[in-house]
Amino acid sequence: MNSPHPSGQALFYFGASHHNCPIDLRERLAVTDERWAETLKAVTQEAGLREYVLLNTCNRVEFYGIGTADAAQLASRRFFAHQGFSEEQASAVCRESVNKGVLTHLISVASGIDSQMLGETEILGQVKDAYARAVTEQTVGPVLNRAFQKTFQYAKYVRSHTAITEGQISVANVAVDLAAKIFGQLKHVRVLLLGAGDIGEKTAKAFQSRGAAAATVSSRTLERSMELARQYGGAALPWENFEAHLGSFDIVVCSTAAPHSVVSTEAVRSAMSGRISQPLFFIDLALPRDVEPEVAGLDNVFVYNLDDLARIAEENLAAREAEIGRASAMIQEKAGALWDQLVPLLARK
């Protein structure tokens, strides 16, 4: 990492994202809720960090902190080692920066410029959630408070003053567009949503807007499944029963927060035995992935994950490419102004 502030303290970040870390490696880096506290303890214990925030999304795992250069390097080594990466593997996927470069990166992330799908709308909320969790856990102080709060303001500015968010760029919309290309009219297509969180809700809304019949919802919390099903005129399916009913659906949208796959190859093979000449289409929006990789090898079964959807979304990129330069210039200006505000805060003991 580069030189710290003259006080010895630096604003730093390290992590990995879709840019050079494929989905199978991002699965290994992902920090589940069950391992959140354990991971943070392993990374930060006795590292001498003043403040820190962990950002964990489907496309990136990034650690933002305040500390000496030695503390930042120690935290980075500990994180990748804790996730089972060798030093060589970590070096291949790790991205890092300090001071103003961190702010440029963070604003780019929050505004959607650094996203796998340029301009996607979910990321700002995910960054806000990561910051809110750090506030609750009392791991942030004056530097990161100012950095993140100003980042939210600047991200909204970039979005509203450029056209980077134009077009079908959300994960939900891209997924529904893909389903429409495969099945044509969606009116009679039977849809199962596995997971009743935010992305599941957005996907249900996107399917409904394209004429699909009401979706069936299944999640580990039956009450939440029923709530989402009622909202969109669908039905709830108890979680323990969904595998037995896979053959009844044409499209299965997976977006659970499970730490491992929930759709087994054997269950899909059994479902296909009753679907003669009828394809079964999985849209796997989860990380770690909900669908076992071997499912894609079954006859007449189609599986698309986050990286697949991103490649499809690139077709819509041309209309927004011209905006990247304008947005980047804005971000550089905002990052410089914010860094000037943070310098005196870094100097405080």
Side-chain angles (χ1 to χ4, degrees):
M1 295 188 178
N2 298 323
S3 299
H5 183 271
S7 67
Q9 298 292 311
L11 168 64
F12 68 87
Y13 104 90
F14 63 81
S17 72
H18 61 278
H19 288 292
N20 59 345
C21 190
I23 194 167
D24 58 326
L25 295 183
R26 297 204 304 275
E27 283 181 324
R28 291 174 54 193
L29 286 176
V31 182
T32 62
D33 282 342
E34 293 83 354
R35 298 189 65 200
W36 192 276
E38 167 201 332
T39 302
L40 285 180
K41 182 178 180 180
V43 173
T44 62
Q45 193 171 37
E46 299 178 3
L49 301 181
R50 283 170 49 181
E51 308 176 30
Y52 54 87
V53 174
L54 175 61
L55 173 63
N56 182 86
T57 77
C58 293
N59 293 323
R60 66 184 69 245
V61 181
E62 295 176 343
F63 193 98
Y64 296 82
I66 303 296
T68 64
D70 288 344
Q73 291 171 355
L74 176 60
S76 179
R77 287 197 303 270
R78 284 181 170 177
F79 171 73
F80 284 102
H82 187 264
Q83 301 304 92
F85 277 58
S86 67
E87 289 188 10
E88 183 178 1
Q89 291 172 322
S91 178
V93 300
C94 182
R95 302 173 78 201
E96 59 185 18
S97 188
V98 296
N99 298 335
K100 180 185 172 183
V102 177
L103 301 175
T104 301
H105 176 73
L106 180 57
I107 300 170
S108 297
V109 168
S111 63
I113 292 295
D114 197 64
S115 292
Q116 193 171 31
M117 296 184 188
L118 179 67
E120 56 103 350
T121 55
E122 288 89 359
I123 185 62
L124 180 57
Q126 292 170 329
V127 176
K128 287 183 176 180
D129 288 344
Y131 170 67
R133 185 165 190 166
V135 170
T136 299
E137 296 173 352
Q138 299 182 328
T139 66
V140 291
V143 179
L144 290 186
N145 278 328
R146 179 73 62 85
F148 275 83
Q149 289 168 8
K150 284 295 184 180
T151 287
F152 303 146
Q153 176 185 331
Y154 296 155
K156 291 178 181 178
Y157 180 89
V158 171
R159 287 172 178 268
S160 63
H161 287 76
T162 66
I164 61 168
T165 58
E166 290 184 359
Q168 300 293 324
I169 50 177
S170 73
V171 169
N173 281 324
V174 172
V176 174
D177 282 350
L178 178 59
K181 289 179 181 178
I182 293 175
F183 289 94
Q185 293 292 326
L186 299 178
K187 183 177 181 180
H188 301 294
V189 169
R190 294 161 296 180
V191 180
L192 172 65
L193 299 180
L194 291 183
D198 183 59
I199 188 61
E201 183 172 353
K202 289 180 179 178
T203 305
K205 184 176 181 179
F207 268 107
Q208 190 177 65
S209 71
R210 296 293 291 273
T216 298
V217 184
S218 184
S219 74
R220 295 185 187 277
T221 306
L222 182 59
E223 291 78 9
R224 174 56 182 155
S225 298
M226 295 173 66
E227 177 185 347
L228 185 58
R230 282 195 300 267
Q231 186 175 347
Y232 292 99
L237 177 65
W239 179 258
E240 60 271 18
N241 297 337
F242 86 81
E243 283 198 328
H245 290 81
L246 281 176
S248 302
F249 299 95
D250 304 300
I251 300 172
V252 183
V253 181
C254 308
S255 61
T256 80
H260 48 68
S261 59
V262 297
V263 178
S264 69
T265 307
E266 286 307 310
V268 178
R269 183 179 287 114
S270 176
M272 294 307 294
S273 66
R275 294 179 59 83
I276 307 302
S277 300
Q278 291 181 293
L280 182 55
F281 178 39
F282 288 92
I283 302 172
D284 194 346
L285 307 178
L287 191 81
R289 287 170 287 182
D290 279 338
V291 182
E292 289 185 347
E294 293 78 12
V295 169
L298 299 178
D299 290 341
N300 223 17
V301 177
F302 304 88
V303 182
Y304 284 76
N305 61 40
L306 287 163
D307 284 358
D308 298 324
L309 294 176
R311 284 190 287 269
I312 294 168
E314 288 178 2
E315 299 173 5
N316 298 328
L317 183 61
R320 286 169 280 125
E321 275 189 328
E323 298 299 302
I324 296 177
R326 292 184 61 231
S328 296
M330 291 179 186
I331 290 170
Q332 287 289 347
E333 178 185 354
K334 299 296 185 184
L338 180 52
W339 174 241
D340 289 341
Q341 298 177 35
L342 297 185
V343 167
L345 297 179
L346 274 173
R348 297 177 184 172
K349 300 297 184 183

